[in-house]
Amino acid sequence: LDEFQEVKINGETVDPSNYNLTEGSTIVTLSIDYLSTLPQDNYTIEVVSESGAPAAGFSVVIPEVNDDGFYYNQSEV
């Protein structure tokens, strides 16, 4: 975490109050409150540090309940 600088989603810096960092291989956990502000879509998250900015994709989907009461993800994103 010594080299950590910031977290970006789709190129925009995320306020540090919206995520937690865990040491090890620098684990970033976005808060549920923050995720609930994002519209259904595809996103790119970057963890920026002095040695680089690895990126990964993720999707925000609206859960729905099927007839058995289970949640499932919509495939429209």
Side-chain angles (χ1 to χ4, degrees):
L1 292 180
D2 293 339
E3 294 185 8
F4 173 81
Q5 294 177 340
E6 64 184 338
V7 172
K8 291 184 175 185
I9 294 193
N10 289 357
E12 300 283 327
T13 299
V14 177
D15 188 284
S17 66
N18 292 314
Y19 59 85
N20 290 316
L21 294 175
T22 305
E23 284 192 71
S25 55
T26 309
I27 300 166
V28 176
T29 306
L30 299 171
S31 72
I32 293 296
D33 290 338
Y34 175 71
L35 288 172
S36 67
T37 68
L38 298 177
Q40 181 173 301
D41 206 349
N42 295 313
Y43 296 89
T44 301
I45 184 170
E46 294 175 82
V47 180
V48 182
S49 70
E50 292 174 13
S51 58
F58 71 97
S59 298
V60 172
V61 295
I62 299 169
E64 289 188 5
V65 179
N66 65 20
D67 294 337
D68 298 320
F70 294 103
Y71 287 96
Y72 65 94
N73 293 332
Q74 297 171 339
S75 61
E76 299 165 0
V77 178

